Amino acid sequence: MSQQPLTSDNHVSREEILEVANLARLGVDENTADSYAADITKILKMMDILGNVDTTDIKPLSNIHEACQELRADVAKHDINRERNQSVAPAIEDGLYLVPQVIE
């Protein structure tokens, strides 16, 4: 693969997709390569737009949980209708859901 950076408009060509697919030993036909090139070009253009957003007064998060989240109260509700919920289950017995055994 050529070591040249992408062009200034961040266009990815079919040839670049086919070259990367070849190096990764992936079977990609020309129509799929065209589709991938168009999609990646769109993504890179969106990244350019995001890169131009002024974030001067925005403090970066070191953890997503620092963001403000409104949580509902952890209160038990007794309005669950077991019969209605289990009416769509494929198999139930004595009020329990029956599932196929997955461990022998």
Side-chain angles (χ1 to χ4, degrees):
M1 186 171 160
S2 61
Q3 296 297 321
Q4 299 173 3
L6 295 173
T7 60
S8 61
D9 65 341
N10 285 340
H11 175 77
V12 177
S13 69
R14 172 198 309 167
E15 291 74 23
E16 289 171 313
I17 297 295
L18 290 172
E19 190 172 352
V20 170
N22 181 51
L23 291 171
R25 305 291 190 251
L26 299 173
V28 176
D29 62 39
E30 288 190 1
N31 289 335
T32 304
D34 285 335
S35 174
Y36 289 169
D39 290 345
I40 293 172
T41 298
K42 287 178 190 175
I43 291 169
L44 291 173
K45 287 181 180 180
M46 286 187 273
M47 297 294 288
D48 282 342
I49 292 169
L50 290 174
N52 292 325
V53 173
D54 182 17
T55 58
T56 305
D57 296 328
I58 298 175
K59 181 181 172 188
L61 293 176
S62 61
N63 185 323
I64 190 63
H65 296 292
E66 291 176 10
C68 186
Q69 284 184 322
E70 297 227 1
L71 301 176
R72 65 173 174 77
D74 190 12
V75 177
K77 293 185 178 182
H78 300 286
D79 60 346
I80 295 172
N81 185 330
R82 178 181 287 193
E83 290 78 26
R84 184 187 66 198
N85 292 340
Q86 290 186 338
S87 69
V88 296
I92 57 170
E93 184 178 304
D94 298 326
L96 303 173
Y97 294 95
L98 299 179
V99 296
Q101 180 175 343
V102 294
I103 299 175
E104 295 182 30

